[in-house]
Amino acid sequence: MNIFGMYFGLGVHHIADFAGYDHILFLVCLTAVYLVKDWKRILILITAFTIGHSVSLVLATLNIVYFSSSWIEFLIPLTIFITGLWNVIDRNDQVSRSGHNIKYAAALFFGLIHGLGFSNYLRSLLGAEDNLALPLFGFNLGIETGQIIIVTCILTVSFLAQKYLRIVHREWNLILSGAGMGIAMVLMGERWPG
């Protein structure tokens, strides 16, 4: 397998791995307020997350930034909790243009935090590589692809639940966001940097 393909596969696996379900949970909360028809907005949103994730991975891999892994592991579920809380507090059925812009900036910032969570592992993998550009590009493209797959699954389940189970969109948002917040609170308690 070539270097690009290997790191692309690692990127997809990093996002879609159920053992690291905190990334999936973040995507669930991030997209809970959207409908299938909002797919372009969602694509921009998850791309913002990928950009933030990519920037922090590059900076950490090149040893330009360093943060305590215990704090990063605590901050990751905090981003999930904040995203879910925002969904619960905002009572609008649709995300406004200004609300979407704020979500875009938040996804970018939260992507920075999530990227730092994987940087130590990626740094150890990349230590043997002569050229970092191709592996990092492959990994980040894999992350974007993995997110698109996960979000497609989330939107499909949301569509089916709302169409065939007749769950009102706001109630579905509250179910997903509330579940995300609850799990995030447990994770924050377990990961409190003491």
Side-chain angles (χ1 to χ4, degrees):
M1 177 184 288
N2 64 25
I3 294 294
F4 175 84
M6 183 181 86
Y7 282 96
F8 177 85
L10 278 172
V12 172
H13 185 262
H14 169 60
I15 289 295
D17 182 15
F18 285 109
Y21 61 91
D22 49 359
H23 293 292
I24 296 171
L25 195 57
F26 178 75
L27 291 172
V28 167
C29 286
L30 192 65
T31 59
V33 296
Y34 292 98
L35 300 169
V36 174
K37 67 177 182 158
D38 299 318
W39 68 270
K40 289 180 185 174
R41 286 179 152 191
I42 297 168
L43 185 60
I44 293 169
L45 199 59
I46 61 174
T47 300
F49 178 80
T50 302
I51 291 168
H53 199 278
S54 301
V55 167
S56 61
L57 274 176
V58 169
L59 294 176
T61 301
L62 297 175
N63 293 315
I64 295 171
V65 297
Y66 174 80
F67 288 93
S68 164
S69 60
S70 61
W71 274 104
I72 296 301
E73 289 304 313
F74 171 75
L75 290 174
I76 288 172
L78 181 62
T79 65
I80 298 165
F81 182 82
I82 291 169
T83 305
L85 182 62
W86 183 348
N87 293 345
V88 169
I89 292 171
D90 187 8
R91 297 194 176 275
N92 295 325
D93 255 357
Q94 296 292 319
V95 179
S96 68
R97 185 172 197 72
S98 62
H100 181 70
N101 290 337
I102 293 169
K103 280 185 167 283
Y104 183 82
L108 182 70
F109 179 71
F110 290 166
L112 290 168
I113 294 169
H114 283 247
L116 290 171
F118 195 68
S119 62
N120 288 334
Y121 174 69
L122 189 61
R123 188 182 305 125
S124 68
L125 284 177
L126 290 171
E129 300 296 339
D130 294 331
N131 181 0
L132 297 180
L134 191 61
L136 281 171
F137 179 69
F139 185 78
N140 289 313
L141 193 59
I143 286 173
E144 182 75 355
T145 302
Q147 289 187 140
I148 290 170
I149 292 167
I150 297 226
V151 167
T152 300
C153 293
I154 294 166
L155 289 176
T156 301
V157 169
S158 294
F159 173 78
L160 294 173
Q162 292 175 56
K163 182 165 178 80
Y164 295 108
L165 298 178
R166 304 280 185 222
I167 299 175
V168 177
H169 177 62
R170 172 71 180 157
E171 291 172 0
W172 183 250
N173 169 29
L174 293 176
I175 291 168
L176 294 181
S177 300
M181 289 169 59
I183 296 169
M185 287 174 63
V186 171
L187 291 174
M188 285 188 292
E190 292 174 351
R191 298 176 180 180
W192 179 258

